[in-house]
Amino acid sequence: MKKSLCWLCLLWTAGVCMAEPLEVTVHAGKVVNPVDIKIYSQFLEHIYNSCNGGLWGDLVWNRSFEAGQGCEWKEENGAWTQASTRGNGRLLFGDESWTNYELSCNAKKLGGEEGFLLMFRAKGNNYYWVNLGGWKNTRNGLERGFSKNGEDVRQEVSAQLAPFTPWEKDKTYRLRVVVNGNHFECFVEDTKIMEADDIALASGALGLGTWNTSVEYSNVLVKDLSGNVLFDGGKNSPVSKCRPEIRYWRTTGDVVVKNGDARNSQRYVRFNGTGTLSQKNYALEKGEHYDYSLWLRGKGSVTFQGQEYAVNAEDWTKISGTFTVAESTNDGSLNIALSPADGKALDIDQVSIMPRTWKEKYHGFRPDLLQAIKEIQPELIRWPGGCYASAYRWKDGIGPQDDRGSYPIELWNDVDVNSFGIDEYMKMCELVGAVPHMVVNVGTKQWQKMAGTEGQNIDWLTEACEWLEYCNGPVTSRWGAVRAKNGHPEPYNVKYWEIDNEVHPNFDPEASYVAILKELVPRMKAIDPTITIIACGSWTGNRNRWDSEIVKQAGDLFSYLSTHQYDNPKGYAVNPYNNRRFFESRREIIANSGHPNVKMFDSEWNAQCIDWRTGLHAGGILNCFEQVGDVLKIASPALFLRHTSARAWNNAFINFDHTGWFPAPNYVIMKLWREHYAPNRVELVSTSAPLCGENPIVNAVATKSEDGKTLYVKVVNNQMEDAVMNVTFNDVEIVSATAQVVTPKLEAGEKADAKLLKQNTMAEPHAITPQPLSVSGDGNRRSVTLPSLSAAVITVHVK
């Protein structure tokens, strides 16, 4: 392996043997293996507003106010309690001009997955916090927060830390932080657990916080380093001054976020005096009608987009209407003004705006993103996750959207409101021509803990069976009748069912997952014996042991074993071969299992970027999927859709904001490869060095259509220079040949490696796109010149 990598490096830098054309022979009459069209599938997960805030056409983000800190702090008998186990709750106090001080408090964890946050030198978006029990209660640390591109980000600060002991629930700790110049210390009782130095922030206020944890703080006291009291929490509670931070919303006035007694889910917003709610980044079109609705309770008046309504209701009441705009704009905003009657309050929940054209013509979907999905022709679409599936409660995603519950935790910068549920997913699959593929959850430990469902004795396997019955059961069945009530009497007949996602760490040893398969699969088959079951394979740890045991012990219960393969984009040329070797090893495991009919499913693959490296990676890995087509039958990359405001996972195929979208190079290449799919791989051989060896730097495959009339050669040139490739086609008589190539353009003075970091953008969505490639030659021999760092498809029509 090391010799091959060294050879690759020499080839790239010195251009060894590049003067010689690449000689390739395609034996069109020799089929090597089948290629399943399902390797050109996709995976749609609710991540970074891919569905709500993206594909689903409701324009309002966080429509039921579930995401964000809110203001759930309560004060009772001198204790400050944060009841919510969702997200990031902060309570600030003190003076931003303060420099050196000591913060002490009692802290008790009431629930959730982490510990405590002690903030100091907080000024705007700049602050430090001692993170006690962060990273899911696995360690302590010191972090500095700051603003970057309008987002709150954090960077860990180097610190000396005592050995970690997990923070226990319902145990009271006495915590103390001492801030002296550039030196910081943290104590539990009188034991020092952290010491650090940092010069970034010189002054600021203090605060207490939570992260996915419910906490009680009491006996809060701040002194200067001479012992003088600066702040006494028993006398000066900041709870009443706490302002809500509702994600994606701006507020003014006397407003709080309430927990419980909402129109649905958990939260709603209460105005105790005149105030406003607003949200920006709306693309509004002149001539479009925007249908809206909102739920209100209380007494007073509400003005929505210039239209005023009187409210006098003890129970939640829906108000709806339509507005238009005088001119098209990409900078529109939503504005709601609320004026409670004297001594009264006004509550608001569930705000929705849908362009009427999207609702009537496109079934509620955003048309440009729906078209983007359709154009890549996904054979299957896996949904709803991924990680999202493991805490998903499917019954919250059916029925009237105003009645639906939200996702149980904050995930990927949002609490999904489930406007995009089962019926919307099924309609989307119908509209784009894709086969649906459901992932059901079985109550994995990690996700139960995060969602707060541990100890609730939820019958997860029955929920999965009810999910199947909702999709495939007759109208006479309990859940089939519910489906019919929701507008679809005919069964959906979903064929593919995957049993959870990335369960390896949750069911180790593998026997416990096998036990679930042995109980659940027969129950599902009793509901619909025609379904195809997909089991969860390895993705980390001892992958060989897990996959071997799952197939060996339960291979008679499922047809596919699902696995995940994410790669570093720096290895764009080598990654595909590592993936191919992995699936070749799974072929051997399956052959030795006693269940030789099991096949593989690469249900999440990608390189982690959106520059040209991910295009080269996509071409190479799709070629390698075709090379192992006897064992690998389904593949779907991740991510599929991602809003450009997202903080992480910048590897999506479809990247969008409220104005439009652009394809990443992986989308461009997968679309091109999918358009040139053929079901039979035929033999392609070469004696040219770049196409030989353990990790050929030129990656090529040849396939043939079902009728034998069309041949495709898909080739990725990972070299830093152009290459002439001569292809001889045996066993056929050529009628015509054409080719397309994808490679970024170079500016004057740029070298080939500058291509690697080029990408499409919102401003230039088609900077990287297929272009015609000249084909020369006659008879059964054709030649093309492959640009450096390019991906190309040669199409040959034969008699």
Side-chain angles (χ1 to χ4, degrees):
M1 180 67 175
K2 289 182 179 179
K3 290 182 180 179
S4 297
L5 289 174
C6 291
W7 176 80
L8 284 173
C9 293
L10 286 171
L11 189 61
W12 290 2
T13 57
V16 175
C17 299
M18 284 301 96
E20 295 294 326
L22 306 176
E23 299 293 339
V24 173
T25 301
V26 174
H27 296 289
K30 187 174 182 180
V31 174
V32 181
N33 60 257
V35 178
D36 198 312
I37 196 171
K38 293 191 294 294
I39 66 169
Y40 294 99
S41 295
Q42 292 291 340
F43 164 44
L44 177 61
E45 184 163 23
H46 295 235
I47 179 170
Y48 290 122
N49 303 102
S50 59
C51 294
N52 288 293
L55 179 60
W56 183 246
D58 197 318
L59 300 184
V60 180
W61 284 36
N62 194 15
R63 57 175 288 188
S64 59
F65 313 112
E66 301 293 327
Q69 173 190 333
C71 192
E72 298 183 27
W73 292 94
K74 296 180 180 180
E75 180 187 12
E76 188 173 4
N77 299 324
W80 308 341
T81 302
Q82 164 64 281
S84 175
T85 58
R86 288 183 176 180
N88 174 8
R90 308 179 196 178
L91 190 63
L92 295 175
F93 48 88
D95 194 306
E96 291 185 352
S97 67
W98 290 351
T99 56
N100 301 323
Y101 38 64
E102 176 185 291
L103 165 66
S104 60
C105 65
N106 292 342
K108 181 165 66 174
K109 176 179 175 177
L110 305 177
E113 61 183 20
E114 301 207 349
F116 314 103
L117 297 172
L118 309 181
M119 302 181 69
F120 59 94
R121 291 196 175 160
K123 187 181 297 185
N125 288 326
N126 297 298
Y127 59 88
Y128 292 104
W129 69 27
V130 181
N131 191 342
L132 302 177
W135 302 275
K136 295 183 172 57
N137 206 12
T138 60
R139 62 188 179 96
N140 300 324
L142 175 66
E143 296 178 284
R144 180 170 65 86
F146 54 95
S147 182
K148 183 178 181 181
N149 298 326
E151 297 287 348
D152 180 17
V153 297
R154 287 166 299 280
Q155 184 176 49
E156 191 162 3
V157 177
S158 177
Q160 298 177 34
L161 300 168
F164 178 74
T165 301
W167 299 87
E168 298 179 24
K169 181 182 176 184
D170 296 325
K171 179 178 179 179
T172 300
Y173 300 89
R174 185 62 181 173
L175 307 179
R176 183 162 56 95
V177 174
V178 180
V179 179
N180 186 5
N182 300 328
H183 189 69
F184 319 132
E185 297 176 328
C186 181
F187 299 82
V188 179
E189 309 304 339
D190 293 320
T191 302
K192 185 187 295 185
I193 64 167
M194 186 216 74
E195 186 170 7
D197 293 282
D198 196 72
I199 62 173
L201 304 176
S203 66
L206 299 101
L208 299 171
T210 64
W211 191 282
N212 292 344
T213 307
S214 178
V215 169
E216 176 189 277
Y217 293 108
S218 60
N219 296 327
V220 180
L221 193 65
V222 181
K223 298 180 179 180
D224 65 20
L225 299 187
S226 298
N228 300 308
V229 174
L230 299 176
F231 177 87
D232 185 340
K235 299 177 180 178
N236 302 287
S237 170
V239 171
S240 62
K241 301 176 182 177
C242 175
R243 287 197 55 76
E245 296 177 9
I246 313 166
R247 187 155 300 139
Y248 311 122
W249 291 91
R250 299 178 187 176
T251 64
T252 65
D254 185 0
V255 55
V256 293
V257 174
K258 304 291 286 184
N259 198 41
D261 195 25
R263 170 60 184 80
N264 72 333
S265 298
Q266 298 185 39
R267 294 181 172 180
Y268 62 95
V269 176
R270 168 164 290 177
F271 283 81
N272 294 306
T274 298
T276 63
L277 275 168
S278 62
Q279 191 173 103
K280 59 181 182 178
N281 294 328
Y282 281 68
L284 303 173
E285 184 178 348
K286 181 181 179 180
E288 178 63 87
H289 290 80
Y290 295 91
D291 296 327
Y292 64 82
S293 64
L294 58 158
W295 288 83
L296 298 162
R297 180 176 59 188
K299 186 173 183 180
S301 64
V302 173
T303 302
F304 184 94
Q305 298 299 92
Q307 302 184 46
E308 186 174 355
Y309 299 90
V311 182
N312 188 4
E314 294 184 1
D315 296 321
W316 287 106
T317 301
K318 187 175 185 177
I319 289 176
S320 58
T322 301
F323 70 87
T324 59
V325 294
E327 298 293 338
S328 297
T329 179
N330 287 332
D331 298 312
S333 61
L334 164 64
N335 299 285
I336 310 171
L338 297 97
S339 298
D342 291 343
K344 302 294 183 179
L346 271 179
D347 299 334
I348 184 171
D349 201 356
Q350 290 288 346
V351 184
S352 175
I353 300 176
M354 174 78 77
R356 187 175 296 173
T357 302
W358 296 10
K359 179 169 59 178
E360 294 180 349
K361 188 174 180 181
Y362 300 101
H363 301 273
F365 296 102
R366 179 171 151 176
D368 61 336
L369 298 184
L370 188 69
Q371 185 63 25
I373 294 174
K374 189 173 184 179
E375 288 183 2
I376 205 170
Q377 301 180 69
E379 185 64 20
L380 271 70
I381 296 181
R382 180 178 182 244
W383 179 85
C387 292
Y388 184 89
S390 294
Y392 185 61
R393 308 302 296 275
W394 72 267
K395 295 172 188 176
D396 287 331
I398 60 174
Q401 291 180 334
D402 289 348
D403 296 340
R404 296 182 185 182
S406 62
Y407 193 68
I409 58 176
E410 183 162 320
L411 189 65
W412 295 309
N413 208 36
D414 195 17
V415 177
D416 197 300
V417 294
N418 285 318
S419 294
F420 186 102
I422 290 177
D423 297 293
E424 289 76 24
Y425 163 71
M426 294 302 303
K427 174 56 70 173
M428 183 268 297
C429 287
E430 175 189 333
L431 294 174
V432 302
V435 175
H437 164 182
M438 296 284 191
V439 184
V440 301
N441 53 346
V442 294
T444 54
K445 301 173 189 175
Q446 172 191 357
W447 290 95
Q448 282 197 65
K449 186 175 182 179
M450 291 176 63
T453 55
E454 279 186 303
Q456 293 186 12
N457 297 318
I458 297 172
D459 189 342
W460 296 99
L461 304 193
T462 295
E463 280 202 9
C465 291
E466 291 171 337
W467 187 345
L468 170 61
E469 185 177 279
Y470 180 86
C471 291
N472 292 8
V475 71
T476 53
S477 66
R478 176 190 175 192
W479 289 103
V482 175
R483 182 194 65 243
K485 182 180 178 182
N486 290 336
H488 205 280
E490 293 300 316
Y492 285 126
N493 295 321
V494 177
K495 177 180 178 182
Y496 294 95
W497 293 83
E498 187 172 349
I499 312 302
D500 221 307
N501 174 78
E502 293 183 352
V503 301
H504 191 169
N506 292 280
F507 295 107
D508 193 5
E510 54 283 334
S512 53
Y513 181 64
V514 168
I516 287 175
L517 292 175
K518 289 185 176 180
E519 178 181 351
L520 178 59
V521 174
R523 291 176 62 181
M524 294 179 74
K525 292 273 190 172
I527 296 169
D528 184 349
T530 69
I531 61 174
T532 297
I533 298 295
I534 301 165
C536 198
S538 66
W539 68 285
T540 188
N542 189 334
R543 305 191 69 172
N544 288 338
R545 191 195 74 182
W546 177 272
D547 289 346
S548 296
E549 291 302 314
I550 295 299
V551 179
K552 181 179 178 180
Q553 297 182 40
D556 58 328
L557 296 172
F558 60 87
S559 300
Y560 298 94
L561 188 68
S562 171
T563 188
H564 297 168
Q565 303 281 120
Y566 288 106
D567 292 305
N568 189 317
K570 294 180 180 179
Y572 59 88
V574 177
N575 294 336
Y577 302 109
N578 293 333
N579 279 265
R580 188 185 71 189
R581 285 186 283 270
F582 174 81
F583 288 107
E584 289 170 343
S585 70
R586 301 309 96 168
R587 178 196 292 142
E588 184 177 346
I589 285 173
I590 291 168
N592 295 329
S593 70
H595 302 289
N597 293 325
V598 170
K599 302 300 180 183
M600 294 300 299
F601 175 16
D602 194 348
S603 54
E604 296 181 30
W605 65 265
N606 211 345
Q608 304 292 69
C609 69
I610 59 166
D611 57 42
W612 179 232
R613 292 173 299 172
T614 204
L616 296 169
H617 177 273
I621 206 163
L622 289 169
N623 278 0
C624 287
F625 287 169
E626 295 197 350
Q627 290 171 332
V628 291
D630 61 321
V631 65
L632 179 69
K633 296 296 183 180
I634 318 177
S636 58
L639 300 176
F640 196 16
L641 295 94
R642 174 186 181 270
H643 196 278
T644 55
S645 66
R647 300 178 182 180
W649 275 78
N650 193 14
N651 72 344
F653 278 48
I654 298 169
N655 302 271
F656 66 93
D657 66 9
H658 64 293
T659 67
W661 74 282
F662 69 87
N666 45 18
Y667 178 100
V668 174
I669 294 301
M670 192 166 184
K671 180 175 182 292
L672 181 64
W673 258 234
R674 172 66 178 84
E675 290 168 348
H676 296 85
Y677 162 78
N680 299 297
R681 183 169 77 92
V682 297
E683 187 176 68
L684 181 151
V685 296
S686 176
T687 57
S688 297
L691 283 111
C692 300
E694 187 178 4
N695 301 301
I697 195 168
V698 177
N699 183 324
V701 297
T703 55
K704 181 172 65 173
S705 62
E706 190 68 53
D707 63 5
K709 299 294 186 180
T710 307
L711 296 167
Y712 301 114
V713 176
K714 299 173 185 148
V715 55
V716 181
N717 178 21
N718 290 305
Q719 300 173 105
M720 293 292 175
E721 52 216 6
D722 298 355
V724 173
M725 187 168 80
N726 301 318
V727 186
T728 301
F729 294 88
N730 288 344
D731 311 319
V732 291
E733 184 177 345
I734 294 176
V735 175
S736 64
T738 58
Q740 291 177 277
V741 65
V742 184
T743 192
K745 294 179 181 178
L746 289 173
E747 302 297 330
E750 287 185 324
K751 296 183 179 180
D753 61 358
K755 292 181 178 182
L756 293 173
L757 300 184
K758 292 182 181 290
Q759 61 184 65
N760 290 331
T761 63
M762 292 298 299
E764 295 186 86
H766 303 298
I768 300 174
T769 196
Q771 301 291 338
L773 181 65
S774 177
V775 181
S776 61
D778 53 20
N780 278 15
R781 183 178 172 87
R782 293 292 187 272
S783 297
V784 295
T785 298
L786 302 171
S788 62
L789 299 173
S790 66
V793 177
I794 304 168
T795 302
V796 175
H797 297 286
V798 302
K799 287 187 177 180

